[in-house]
Amino acid sequence: MKILILGVNGFIGHHLTQRILDETDWSVYGMDLSDDRLGKNLQNPRFHFIEGDIAINREWIEYHVKKCDVVLPLVAIATPKLYVEDPIAVYNLDFEMNLNVVKQCVKYHKRVVFPSTSEVYGACPDPEFTEDESYLVVGPIQKERWIYSCSKQLLDRVIYAYGTRGQVEFTLFRPFNWVGPRLDSLYAAKEGSSRVVTQFIADLMLKRPISLVDGGNQRRCFTCIDDGISALVKILANKDDVCKNEIINIGNPANDCSVVELAQKLKKLFMEHPNHRNDGTYSEILEVSSLNYYGKGYQDINTRTPSIEKARRLLGWEPAVNLDDSLKMTLYSFLEENEK
Ligand code: UGA
């Protein structure tokens, strides 16, 4: 199988590439703006990388959509701070650019495996979000945070409509707060614009206070990237066509945790690390308002728990890595790479 991954150097892209090259005989064709996370895979004869921007290299993309069997358009802005700071950029990249790729898949009848998001469920009140039943609930237009959720939702709907009319074959997967090595760049975290796990790790490394937005009682189910990638490989293999035109949550409901518990856990793990065992005390855990932290366009999601019955049933998949191990793996890799 030939797989085209746009955004191959991203968090999901580079982990997926590594697993495919290690465990299958498939080939990967990939484009990204840089290659710093791809390491030794760049030398693998089954990996074909080109450095470039998907907004510019349209001919390369069209040629490779035609050439490959499956397309994963993984390029997106996925950090809430940027949803409120630059909603137009989120719309342009996450919706318009990806729509172009989806249309190429329609044109050449290629299978598209598209990253939807847990964010499409928004503030849905269901105790567990189910792919084919839960309502997708977002806030008012002034709360610009929701532009990401809406961009992804509309693309989900477009892909679904093409799919059910026989014009493309698709699987939509919905990651629920995947975490792991090289989640976000530490540079983004230094600027205060990365997802919560990287943000807290960067705060600890820089000896800055940890900010709990609006008290930190919001909950997320953090999912180890290794589990996420195992599910994705099964989706790509698509044995007996089980994932054809399906939407699948990929998360770990057992790893449900509040943001304040997350801060305490990461701080404890950090202080126990050999590099920091003898440090004094720092990185006080402080409450900040979402208005001060993100600005007036932000609104939060209090609970976000996936139902994974469908993933279990279709893929025979079960997440295996618990919360503490997922956080430890993420933290230790950041420390190893940045405190050499
Ligand atoms: C994320 C992002 O939208 C995407 O990466 C993705 O689509 C999706 O969720 C997912 O991974 O499932 P969210 O979980 O809200 O959204 O993003 P984080 O930035 O990781 O924030 C999690 C929680 O921590 C929020 O309640 C936020 O307010 C809080 N937070 C964040 C803090 O309390 N302090 C911080 O310094 C940063």
Side-chain angles (χ1 to χ4, degrees), residues 78 80 83 117-119 145 148 175-178 194-196 199-200 203 211-213 218 220 259 293-294 298 300-301 304:
Y83 311 159
T117 169
S118 64
E119 288 244 349
R145 184 247 168 85
Y148 173 74
F176 278 67
N177 290 84
W178 291 9
S194 79
R195 286 168 280 196
V196 68
Q199 194 56 58
F200 287 176
D203 293 338
S211 303
L212 294 180
V213 172
Q218 320 82 299
R220 298 289 187 271
V259 171
Y293 192 86
Y294 288 107
Y298 185 73
D300 215 327
I301 294 149
R304 175 192 280 168

PDB file of all heavy atoms in Angstrom, residues 78 80 83 117-119 145 148 175-178 194-196 199-200 203 211-213 218 220 259 293-294 298 300-301 304, ligand 1:
ATOM      1  N   ALA A  78      -4.037  23.203  15.507  1.00  0.00           N
ATOM      2  CA  ALA A  78      -4.821  22.449  16.497  1.00  0.00           C
ATOM      3  C   ALA A  78      -4.601  22.936  17.927  1.00  0.00           C
ATOM      4  O   ALA A  78      -4.728  22.166  18.867  1.00  0.00           O
ATOM      5  CB  ALA A  78      -4.505  20.960  16.378  1.00  0.00           C
ATOM      6  N   PRO A  80      -5.832  25.687  20.852  1.00  0.00           N
ATOM      7  CA  PRO A  80      -6.919  26.628  21.158  1.00  0.00           C
ATOM      8  C   PRO A  80      -6.498  28.101  21.195  1.00  0.00           C
ATOM      9  O   PRO A  80      -7.254  28.968  20.771  1.00  0.00           O
ATOM     10  CB  PRO A  80      -7.412  26.153  22.527  1.00  0.00           C
ATOM     11  CG  PRO A  80      -7.146  24.679  22.495  1.00  0.00           C
ATOM     12  CD  PRO A  80      -5.855  24.523  21.750  1.00  0.00           C
ATOM     13  N   TYR A  83      -6.893  29.460  17.874  1.00  0.00           N
ATOM     14  CA  TYR A  83      -8.279  29.580  17.378  1.00  0.00           C
ATOM     15  C   TYR A  83      -8.816  30.985  17.684  1.00  0.00           C
ATOM     16  O   TYR A  83      -9.557  31.551  16.891  1.00  0.00           O
ATOM     17  CB  TYR A  83      -9.241  28.567  18.007  1.00  0.00           C
ATOM     18  CG  TYR A  83      -8.811  27.114  18.035  1.00  0.00           C
ATOM     19  CD1 TYR A  83      -9.376  26.219  18.944  1.00  0.00           C
ATOM     20  CD2 TYR A  83      -7.858  26.620  17.159  1.00  0.00           C
ATOM     21  CE1 TYR A  83      -9.007  24.888  18.984  1.00  0.00           C
ATOM     22  CE2 TYR A  83      -7.475  25.289  17.204  1.00  0.00           C
ATOM     23  CZ  TYR A  83      -8.048  24.429  18.124  1.00  0.00           C
ATOM     24  OH  TYR A  83      -7.669  23.122  18.176  1.00  0.00           O
ATOM     25  N   THR A 117     -12.058  15.572  14.901  1.00  0.00           N
ATOM     26  CA  THR A 117     -11.539  15.949  16.218  1.00  0.00           C
ATOM     27  C   THR A 117     -12.591  15.757  17.297  1.00  0.00           C
ATOM     28  O   THR A 117     -13.797  15.864  17.018  1.00  0.00           O
ATOM     29  CB  THR A 117     -11.083  17.429  16.212  1.00  0.00           C
ATOM     30  OG1 THR A 117     -10.835  17.845  17.551  1.00  0.00           O
ATOM     31  CG2 THR A 117     -12.128  18.356  15.627  1.00  0.00           C
ATOM     32  N   SER A 118     -12.132  15.526  18.509  1.00  0.00           N
ATOM     33  CA  SER A 118     -13.044  15.488  19.658  1.00  0.00           C
ATOM     34  C   SER A 118     -13.765  16.821  19.801  1.00  0.00           C
ATOM     35  O   SER A 118     -14.843  16.893  20.373  1.00  0.00           O
ATOM     36  CB  SER A 118     -12.253  15.198  20.927  1.00  0.00           C
ATOM     37  OG  SER A 118     -11.359  16.272  21.175  1.00  0.00           O
ATOM     38  N   GLU A 119     -13.142  17.889  19.284  1.00  0.00           N
ATOM     39  CA  GLU A 119     -13.729  19.235  19.426  1.00  0.00           C
ATOM     40  C   GLU A 119     -15.048  19.387  18.685  1.00  0.00           C
ATOM     41  O   GLU A 119     -15.790  20.323  18.955  1.00  0.00           O
ATOM     42  CB  GLU A 119     -12.755  20.298  18.917  1.00  0.00           C
ATOM     43  CG  GLU A 119     -11.589  20.508  19.822  1.00  0.00           C
ATOM     44  CD  GLU A 119     -11.532  21.910  20.435  1.00  0.00           C
ATOM     45  OE1 GLU A 119     -12.273  22.795  20.002  1.00  0.00           O
ATOM     46  OE2 GLU A 119     -10.737  22.081  21.354  1.00  0.00           O
ATOM     47  N   ARG A 145     -13.394  30.620  19.523  1.00  0.00           N
ATOM     48  CA  ARG A 145     -12.759  29.323  19.739  1.00  0.00           C
ATOM     49  C   ARG A 145     -13.398  28.226  18.880  1.00  0.00           C
ATOM     50  O   ARG A 145     -12.734  27.282  18.450  1.00  0.00           O
ATOM     51  CB  ARG A 145     -12.905  28.959  21.222  1.00  0.00           C
ATOM     52  CG  ARG A 145     -12.209  27.675  21.595  1.00  0.00           C
ATOM     53  CD  ARG A 145     -13.166  26.578  21.988  1.00  0.00           C
ATOM     54  NE  ARG A 145     -12.457  25.317  22.055  1.00  0.00           N
ATOM     55  CZ  ARG A 145     -11.789  24.870  23.109  1.00  0.00           C
ATOM     56  NH1 ARG A 145     -11.741  25.580  24.211  1.00  0.00           N
ATOM     57  NH2 ARG A 145     -11.146  23.729  23.062  1.00  0.00           N
ATOM     58  N   TYR A 148     -12.598  26.322  14.967  1.00  0.00           N
ATOM     59  CA  TYR A 148     -11.904  25.056  14.675  1.00  0.00           C
ATOM     60  C   TYR A 148     -12.916  23.914  14.620  1.00  0.00           C
ATOM     61  O   TYR A 148     -12.945  23.130  13.667  1.00  0.00           O
ATOM     62  CB  TYR A 148     -10.856  24.817  15.759  1.00  0.00           C
ATOM     63  CG  TYR A 148     -10.166  23.476  15.715  1.00  0.00           C
ATOM     64  CD1 TYR A 148      -9.218  23.185  14.747  1.00  0.00           C
ATOM     65  CD2 TYR A 148     -10.444  22.502  16.673  1.00  0.00           C
ATOM     66  CE1 TYR A 148      -8.565  21.955  14.726  1.00  0.00           C
ATOM     67  CE2 TYR A 148      -9.799  21.273  16.662  1.00  0.00           C
ATOM     68  CZ  TYR A 148      -8.872  21.001  15.692  1.00  0.00           C
ATOM     69  OH  TYR A 148      -8.228  19.793  15.672  1.00  0.00           O
ATOM     70  N   PRO A 175      -9.477  11.948  17.304  1.00  0.00           N
ATOM     71  CA  PRO A 175      -8.554  11.787  18.435  1.00  0.00           C
ATOM     72  C   PRO A 175      -9.067  12.567  19.648  1.00  0.00           C
ATOM     73  O   PRO A 175      -9.564  13.680  19.499  1.00  0.00           O
ATOM     74  CB  PRO A 175      -7.249  12.427  17.936  1.00  0.00           C
ATOM     75  CG  PRO A 175      -7.425  12.659  16.468  1.00  0.00           C
ATOM     76  CD  PRO A 175      -8.890  12.761  16.228  1.00  0.00           C
ATOM     77  N   PHE A 176      -8.955  11.961  20.813  1.00  0.00           N
ATOM     78  CA  PHE A 176      -9.301  12.630  22.078  1.00  0.00           C
ATOM     79  C   PHE A 176      -8.017  12.899  22.853  1.00  0.00           C
ATOM     80  O   PHE A 176      -7.441  11.991  23.449  1.00  0.00           O
ATOM     81  CB  PHE A 176     -10.250  11.751  22.911  1.00  0.00           C
ATOM     82  CG  PHE A 176     -11.689  11.865  22.488  1.00  0.00           C
ATOM     83  CD1 PHE A 176     -12.100  11.392  21.253  1.00  0.00           C
ATOM     84  CD2 PHE A 176     -12.642  12.436  23.333  1.00  0.00           C
ATOM     85  CE1 PHE A 176     -13.434  11.500  20.855  1.00  0.00           C
ATOM     86  CE2 PHE A 176     -13.960  12.551  22.942  1.00  0.00           C
ATOM     87  CZ  PHE A 176     -14.368  12.084  21.704  1.00  0.00           C
ATOM     88  N   ASN A 177      -7.562  14.129  22.811  1.00  0.00           N
ATOM     89  CA  ASN A 177      -6.385  14.591  23.561  1.00  0.00           C
ATOM     90  C   ASN A 177      -5.239  13.576  23.568  1.00  0.00           C
ATOM     91  O   ASN A 177      -4.837  13.084  24.627  1.00  0.00           O
ATOM     92  CB  ASN A 177      -6.786  14.994  24.990  1.00  0.00           C
ATOM     93  CG  ASN A 177      -7.619  16.279  24.986  1.00  0.00           C
ATOM     94  OD1 ASN A 177      -8.830  16.239  24.795  1.00  0.00           O
ATOM     95  ND2 ASN A 177      -6.968  17.425  25.132  1.00  0.00           N
ATOM     96  N   TRP A 178      -4.738  13.274  22.400  1.00  0.00           N
ATOM     97  CA  TRP A 178      -3.566  12.397  22.291  1.00  0.00           C
ATOM     98  C   TRP A 178      -2.349  13.129  22.844  1.00  0.00           C
ATOM     99  O   TRP A 178      -2.147  14.334  22.578  1.00  0.00           O
ATOM    100  CB  TRP A 178      -3.311  12.023  20.822  1.00  0.00           C
ATOM    101  CG  TRP A 178      -4.346  11.111  20.239  1.00  0.00           C
ATOM    102  CD1 TRP A 178      -5.538  10.741  20.805  1.00  0.00           C
ATOM    103  CD2 TRP A 178      -4.294  10.454  18.968  1.00  0.00           C
ATOM    104  NE1 TRP A 178      -6.221   9.904  19.955  1.00  0.00           N
ATOM    105  CE2 TRP A 178      -5.487   9.715  18.832  1.00  0.00           C
ATOM    106  CE3 TRP A 178      -3.353  10.423  17.936  1.00  0.00           C
ATOM    107  CZ2 TRP A 178      -5.756   8.945  17.688  1.00  0.00           C
ATOM    108  CZ3 TRP A 178      -3.621   9.658  16.798  1.00  0.00           C
ATOM    109  CH2 TRP A 178      -4.802   8.924  16.688  1.00  0.00           C
ATOM    110  N   SER A 194       0.616  26.451  23.407  1.00  0.00           N
ATOM    111  CA  SER A 194       0.574  25.041  23.031  1.00  0.00           C
ATOM    112  C   SER A 194      -0.499  24.346  23.869  1.00  0.00           C
ATOM    113  O   SER A 194      -1.085  24.948  24.753  1.00  0.00           O
ATOM    114  CB  SER A 194       1.926  24.388  23.226  1.00  0.00           C
ATOM    115  OG  SER A 194       2.110  24.089  24.567  1.00  0.00           O
ATOM    116  N   ARG A 195      -0.725  23.075  23.563  1.00  0.00           N
ATOM    117  CA  ARG A 195      -1.757  22.342  24.287  1.00  0.00           C
ATOM    118  C   ARG A 195      -1.301  22.049  25.710  1.00  0.00           C
ATOM    119  O   ARG A 195      -0.119  22.091  26.016  1.00  0.00           O
ATOM    120  CB  ARG A 195      -2.089  21.064  23.513  1.00  0.00           C
ATOM    121  CG  ARG A 195      -2.896  21.396  22.277  1.00  0.00           C
ATOM    122  CD  ARG A 195      -3.008  20.250  21.340  1.00  0.00           C
ATOM    123  NE  ARG A 195      -1.819  20.100  20.519  1.00  0.00           N
ATOM    124  CZ  ARG A 195      -1.762  19.365  19.416  1.00  0.00           C
ATOM    125  NH1 ARG A 195      -2.818  18.713  19.013  1.00  0.00           N
ATOM    126  NH2 ARG A 195      -0.650  19.280  18.719  1.00  0.00           N
ATOM    127  N   VAL A 196      -2.271  21.735  26.561  1.00  0.00           N
ATOM    128  CA  VAL A 196      -2.029  21.831  28.002  1.00  0.00           C
ATOM    129  C   VAL A 196      -0.836  21.004  28.501  1.00  0.00           C
ATOM    130  O   VAL A 196      -0.067  21.486  29.337  1.00  0.00           O
ATOM    131  CB  VAL A 196      -3.329  21.517  28.794  1.00  0.00           C
ATOM    132  CG1 VAL A 196      -3.754  20.066  28.671  1.00  0.00           C
ATOM    133  CG2 VAL A 196      -3.193  21.907  30.245  1.00  0.00           C
ATOM    134  N   GLN A 199       2.315  22.640  27.533  1.00  0.00           N
ATOM    135  CA  GLN A 199       2.374  23.933  28.220  1.00  0.00           C
ATOM    136  C   GLN A 199       2.865  23.763  29.660  1.00  0.00           C
ATOM    137  O   GLN A 199       3.767  24.479  30.108  1.00  0.00           O
ATOM    138  CB  GLN A 199       0.972  24.577  28.203  1.00  0.00           C
ATOM    139  CG  GLN A 199       0.985  26.040  28.579  1.00  0.00           C
ATOM    140  CD  GLN A 199       1.927  26.826  27.660  1.00  0.00           C
ATOM    141  OE1 GLN A 199       1.763  26.826  26.462  1.00  0.00           O
ATOM    142  NE2 GLN A 199       2.928  27.462  28.239  1.00  0.00           N
ATOM    143  N   PHE A 200       2.302  22.795  30.369  1.00  0.00           N
ATOM    144  CA  PHE A 200       2.702  22.587  31.768  1.00  0.00           C
ATOM    145  C   PHE A 200       4.168  22.116  31.854  1.00  0.00           C
ATOM    146  O   PHE A 200       4.912  22.524  32.743  1.00  0.00           O
ATOM    147  CB  PHE A 200       1.767  21.585  32.450  1.00  0.00           C
ATOM    148  CG  PHE A 200       0.384  22.142  32.757  1.00  0.00           C
ATOM    149  CD1 PHE A 200      -0.611  21.332  33.295  1.00  0.00           C
ATOM    150  CD2 PHE A 200       0.071  23.483  32.517  1.00  0.00           C
ATOM    151  CE1 PHE A 200      -1.879  21.844  33.588  1.00  0.00           C
ATOM    152  CE2 PHE A 200      -1.203  24.005  32.796  1.00  0.00           C
ATOM    153  CZ  PHE A 200      -2.177  23.169  33.327  1.00  0.00           C
ATOM    154  N   ASP A 203       6.309  25.111  31.309  1.00  0.00           N
ATOM    155  CA  ASP A 203       6.269  25.977  32.501  1.00  0.00           C
ATOM    156  C   ASP A 203       7.228  25.442  33.572  1.00  0.00           C
ATOM    157  O   ASP A 203       7.968  26.202  34.202  1.00  0.00           O
ATOM    158  CB  ASP A 203       4.843  26.050  33.059  1.00  0.00           C
ATOM    159  CG  ASP A 203       3.880  26.782  32.120  1.00  0.00           C
ATOM    160  OD1 ASP A 203       4.357  27.574  31.280  1.00  0.00           O
ATOM    161  OD2 ASP A 203       2.653  26.554  32.213  1.00  0.00           O
ATOM    162  N   SER A 211      -0.449  27.727  35.011  1.00  0.00           N
ATOM    163  CA  SER A 211      -1.734  28.443  35.023  1.00  0.00           C
ATOM    164  C   SER A 211      -2.899  27.476  34.895  1.00  0.00           C
ATOM    165  O   SER A 211      -3.000  26.745  33.906  1.00  0.00           O
ATOM    166  CB  SER A 211      -1.808  29.404  33.832  1.00  0.00           C
ATOM    167  OG  SER A 211      -0.735  30.303  33.860  1.00  0.00           O
ATOM    168  N   LEU A 212      -3.793  27.498  35.884  1.00  0.00           N
ATOM    169  CA  LEU A 212      -5.035  26.724  35.784  1.00  0.00           C
ATOM    170  C   LEU A 212      -6.115  27.666  35.290  1.00  0.00           C
ATOM    171  O   LEU A 212      -6.530  28.580  36.006  1.00  0.00           O
ATOM    172  CB  LEU A 212      -5.460  26.196  37.157  1.00  0.00           C
ATOM    173  CG  LEU A 212      -4.569  25.175  37.839  1.00  0.00           C
ATOM    174  CD1 LEU A 212      -5.181  24.786  39.175  1.00  0.00           C
ATOM    175  CD2 LEU A 212      -4.402  23.943  36.959  1.00  0.00           C
ATOM    176  N   VAL A 213      -6.567  27.425  34.089  1.00  0.00           N
ATOM    177  CA  VAL A 213      -7.567  28.315  33.497  1.00  0.00           C
ATOM    178  C   VAL A 213      -8.912  28.096  34.202  1.00  0.00           C
ATOM    179  O   VAL A 213      -9.400  26.963  34.280  1.00  0.00           O
ATOM    180  CB  VAL A 213      -7.679  28.059  31.977  1.00  0.00           C
ATOM    181  CG1 VAL A 213      -8.848  28.829  31.386  1.00  0.00           C
ATOM    182  CG2 VAL A 213      -6.369  28.437  31.291  1.00  0.00           C
ATOM    183  N   GLN A 218     -11.996  21.533  34.562  1.00  0.00           N
ATOM    184  CA  GLN A 218     -12.322  20.916  33.272  1.00  0.00           C
ATOM    185  C   GLN A 218     -11.634  19.561  33.187  1.00  0.00           C
ATOM    186  O   GLN A 218     -10.538  19.377  33.704  1.00  0.00           O
ATOM    187  CB  GLN A 218     -11.795  21.749  32.086  1.00  0.00           C
ATOM    188  CG  GLN A 218     -11.893  23.234  32.154  1.00  0.00           C
ATOM    189  CD  GLN A 218     -10.775  23.879  32.953  1.00  0.00           C
ATOM    190  OE1 GLN A 218     -10.616  23.615  34.135  1.00  0.00           O
ATOM    191  NE2 GLN A 218      -9.996  24.750  32.324  1.00  0.00           N
ATOM    192  N   ARG A 220     -10.386  16.095  30.771  1.00  0.00           N
ATOM    193  CA  ARG A 220     -10.065  15.539  29.453  1.00  0.00           C
ATOM    194  C   ARG A 220      -9.650  14.075  29.653  1.00  0.00           C
ATOM    195  O   ARG A 220      -9.159  13.698  30.724  1.00  0.00           O
ATOM    196  CB  ARG A 220      -8.881  16.278  28.802  1.00  0.00           C
ATOM    197  CG  ARG A 220      -9.113  17.764  28.516  1.00  0.00           C
ATOM    198  CD  ARG A 220     -10.100  17.994  27.387  1.00  0.00           C
ATOM    199  NE  ARG A 220     -10.196  19.401  27.017  1.00  0.00           N
ATOM    200  CZ  ARG A 220     -11.046  20.264  27.570  1.00  0.00           C
ATOM    201  NH1 ARG A 220     -11.867  19.882  28.536  1.00  0.00           N
ATOM    202  NH2 ARG A 220     -11.084  21.521  27.158  1.00  0.00           N
ATOM    203  N   VAL A 259      -7.880  19.183  34.871  1.00  0.00           N
ATOM    204  CA  VAL A 259      -6.662  19.930  34.558  1.00  0.00           C
ATOM    205  C   VAL A 259      -5.834  20.160  35.834  1.00  0.00           C
ATOM    206  O   VAL A 259      -4.601  20.092  35.804  1.00  0.00           O
ATOM    207  CB  VAL A 259      -7.021  21.246  33.829  1.00  0.00           C
ATOM    208  CG1 VAL A 259      -5.811  22.142  33.675  1.00  0.00           C
ATOM    209  CG2 VAL A 259      -7.625  20.933  32.470  1.00  0.00           C
ATOM    210  N   TYR A 293      -6.172  34.648  30.152  1.00  0.00           N
ATOM    211  CA  TYR A 293      -5.267  33.682  29.538  1.00  0.00           C
ATOM    212  C   TYR A 293      -5.460  33.595  28.020  1.00  0.00           C
ATOM    213  O   TYR A 293      -4.494  33.616  27.259  1.00  0.00           O
ATOM    214  CB  TYR A 293      -5.462  32.299  30.164  1.00  0.00           C
ATOM    215  CG  TYR A 293      -4.390  31.308  29.789  1.00  0.00           C
ATOM    216  CD1 TYR A 293      -3.201  31.223  30.513  1.00  0.00           C
ATOM    217  CD2 TYR A 293      -4.545  30.467  28.691  1.00  0.00           C
ATOM    218  CE1 TYR A 293      -2.209  30.323  30.156  1.00  0.00           C
ATOM    219  CE2 TYR A 293      -3.550  29.564  28.326  1.00  0.00           C
ATOM    220  CZ  TYR A 293      -2.391  29.494  29.060  1.00  0.00           C
ATOM    221  OH  TYR A 293      -1.409  28.616  28.711  1.00  0.00           O
ATOM    222  N   TYR A 294      -6.726  33.498  27.596  1.00  0.00           N
ATOM    223  CA  TYR A 294      -6.983  33.309  26.160  1.00  0.00           C
ATOM    224  C   TYR A 294      -7.596  34.537  25.476  1.00  0.00           C
ATOM    225  O   TYR A 294      -7.512  34.673  24.268  1.00  0.00           O
ATOM    226  CB  TYR A 294      -7.969  32.155  25.938  1.00  0.00           C
ATOM    227  CG  TYR A 294      -7.416  30.772  26.192  1.00  0.00           C
ATOM    228  CD1 TYR A 294      -7.789  30.050  27.321  1.00  0.00           C
ATOM    229  CD2 TYR A 294      -6.562  30.158  25.282  1.00  0.00           C
ATOM    230  CE1 TYR A 294      -7.323  28.755  27.548  1.00  0.00           C
ATOM    231  CE2 TYR A 294      -6.089  28.867  25.500  1.00  0.00           C
ATOM    232  CZ  TYR A 294      -6.472  28.176  26.633  1.00  0.00           C
ATOM    233  OH  TYR A 294      -6.005  26.906  26.842  1.00  0.00           O
ATOM    234  N   TYR A 298     -12.743  33.053  23.934  1.00  0.00           N
ATOM    235  CA  TYR A 298     -12.580  31.668  24.396  1.00  0.00           C
ATOM    236  C   TYR A 298     -13.803  31.185  25.166  1.00  0.00           C
ATOM    237  O   TYR A 298     -14.461  31.952  25.860  1.00  0.00           O
ATOM    238  CB  TYR A 298     -11.351  31.589  25.307  1.00  0.00           C
ATOM    239  CG  TYR A 298     -10.992  30.189  25.756  1.00  0.00           C
ATOM    240  CD1 TYR A 298     -10.417  29.286  24.883  1.00  0.00           C
ATOM    241  CD2 TYR A 298     -11.239  29.779  27.068  1.00  0.00           C
ATOM    242  CE1 TYR A 298     -10.087  28.005  25.296  1.00  0.00           C
ATOM    243  CE2 TYR A 298     -10.904  28.502  27.495  1.00  0.00           C
ATOM    244  CZ  TYR A 298     -10.330  27.622  26.601  1.00  0.00           C
ATOM    245  OH  TYR A 298      -9.999  26.360  27.016  1.00  0.00           O
ATOM    246  N   ASP A 300     -14.803  27.266  27.177  1.00  0.00           N
ATOM    247  CA  ASP A 300     -14.187  25.958  27.451  1.00  0.00           C
ATOM    248  C   ASP A 300     -15.186  24.816  27.308  1.00  0.00           C
ATOM    249  O   ASP A 300     -16.377  25.032  27.123  1.00  0.00           O
ATOM    250  CB  ASP A 300     -13.558  25.957  28.855  1.00  0.00           C
ATOM    251  CG  ASP A 300     -12.278  25.130  28.918  1.00  0.00           C
ATOM    252  OD1 ASP A 300     -12.180  24.117  28.195  1.00  0.00           O
ATOM    253  OD2 ASP A 300     -11.389  25.487  29.698  1.00  0.00           O
ATOM    254  N   ILE A 301     -14.650  23.627  27.417  1.00  0.00           N
ATOM    255  CA  ILE A 301     -15.436  22.396  27.363  1.00  0.00           C
ATOM    256  C   ILE A 301     -15.198  21.714  28.702  1.00  0.00           C
ATOM    257  O   ILE A 301     -14.044  21.467  29.068  1.00  0.00           O
ATOM    258  CB  ILE A 301     -14.913  21.525  26.195  1.00  0.00           C
ATOM    259  CG1 ILE A 301     -15.208  22.229  24.868  1.00  0.00           C
ATOM    260  CG2 ILE A 301     -15.487  20.123  26.239  1.00  0.00           C
ATOM    261  CD1 ILE A 301     -14.203  21.960  23.790  1.00  0.00           C
ATOM    262  N   ARG A 304     -15.215  15.780  28.425  1.00  0.00           N
ATOM    263  CA  ARG A 304     -15.031  15.267  27.059  1.00  0.00           C
ATOM    264  C   ARG A 304     -14.603  13.808  27.165  1.00  0.00           C
ATOM    265  O   ARG A 304     -13.417  13.494  27.262  1.00  0.00           O
ATOM    266  CB  ARG A 304     -13.963  16.100  26.368  1.00  0.00           C
ATOM    267  CG  ARG A 304     -13.610  15.595  24.996  1.00  0.00           C
ATOM    268  CD  ARG A 304     -12.368  16.265  24.472  1.00  0.00           C
ATOM    269  NE  ARG A 304     -12.628  17.591  23.945  1.00  0.00           N
ATOM    270  CZ  ARG A 304     -11.655  18.463  23.647  1.00  0.00           C
ATOM    271  NH1 ARG A 304     -10.394  18.158  23.856  1.00  0.00           N
ATOM    272  NH2 ARG A 304     -11.955  19.647  23.155  1.00  0.00           N
TER     273      ARG A 304
HETATM  274  C1  UGA B   1      -7.685  20.335  22.086  1.00  0.00           C
HETATM  275  C2  UGA B   1      -7.314  21.037  20.799  1.00  0.00           C
HETATM  276  O1  UGA B   1      -8.399  21.745  20.277  1.00  0.00           O
HETATM  277  C3  UGA B   1      -6.893  20.066  19.751  1.00  0.00           C
HETATM  278  O2  UGA B   1      -5.558  19.691  19.977  1.00  0.00           O
HETATM  279  C4  UGA B   1      -7.690  18.813  19.598  1.00  0.00           C
HETATM  280  O3  UGA B   1      -8.536  18.857  18.498  1.00  0.00           O
HETATM  281  C5  UGA B   1      -8.459  18.403  20.801  1.00  0.00           C
HETATM  282  O4  UGA B   1      -8.462  19.209  21.914  1.00  0.00           O
HETATM  283  C6  UGA B   1      -7.975  17.030  21.228  1.00  0.00           C
HETATM  284  O5  UGA B   1      -6.765  16.829  21.333  1.00  0.00           O
HETATM  285  O6  UGA B   1      -8.814  16.182  21.506  1.00  0.00           O
HETATM  286  P1  UGA B   1      -8.343  21.264  24.444  1.00  0.00           P
HETATM  287  O7  UGA B   1      -8.383  19.921  25.080  1.00  0.00           O
HETATM  288  O8  UGA B   1      -9.329  22.253  24.986  1.00  0.00           O
HETATM  289  O9  UGA B   1      -8.526  21.180  22.876  1.00  0.00           O
HETATM  290  O10 UGA B   1      -6.883  21.901  24.488  1.00  0.00           O
HETATM  291  P2  UGA B   1      -5.728  22.133  25.533  1.00  0.00           P
HETATM  292  O11 UGA B   1      -5.011  23.360  25.087  1.00  0.00           O
HETATM  293  O12 UGA B   1      -4.900  20.925  25.668  1.00  0.00           O
HETATM  294  O13 UGA B   1      -6.478  22.502  26.900  1.00  0.00           O
HETATM  295  C7  UGA B   1      -7.038  21.562  27.761  1.00  0.00           C
HETATM  296  C8  UGA B   1      -7.577  22.276  28.980  1.00  0.00           C
HETATM  297  O14 UGA B   1      -6.498  22.813  29.735  1.00  0.00           O
HETATM  298  C9  UGA B   1      -8.504  23.465  28.694  1.00  0.00           C
HETATM  299  O15 UGA B   1      -9.570  23.441  29.604  1.00  0.00           O
HETATM  300  C10 UGA B   1      -7.637  24.680  28.943  1.00  0.00           C
HETATM  301  O16 UGA B   1      -8.370  25.810  29.346  1.00  0.00           O
HETATM  302  C11 UGA B   1      -6.731  24.180  30.036  1.00  0.00           C
HETATM  303  N1  UGA B   1      -5.398  24.850  30.108  1.00  0.00           N
HETATM  304  C12 UGA B   1      -4.609  24.949  29.021  1.00  0.00           C
HETATM  305  C13 UGA B   1      -4.966  25.351  31.342  1.00  0.00           C
HETATM  306  O17 UGA B   1      -5.691  25.272  32.375  1.00  0.00           O
HETATM  307  N2  UGA B   1      -3.742  25.940  31.422  1.00  0.00           N
HETATM  308  C14 UGA B   1      -2.904  26.057  30.348  1.00  0.00           C
HETATM  309  O18 UGA B   1      -1.787  26.610  30.505  1.00  0.00           O
HETATM  310  C15 UGA B   1      -3.355  25.542  29.107  1.00  0.00           C
END
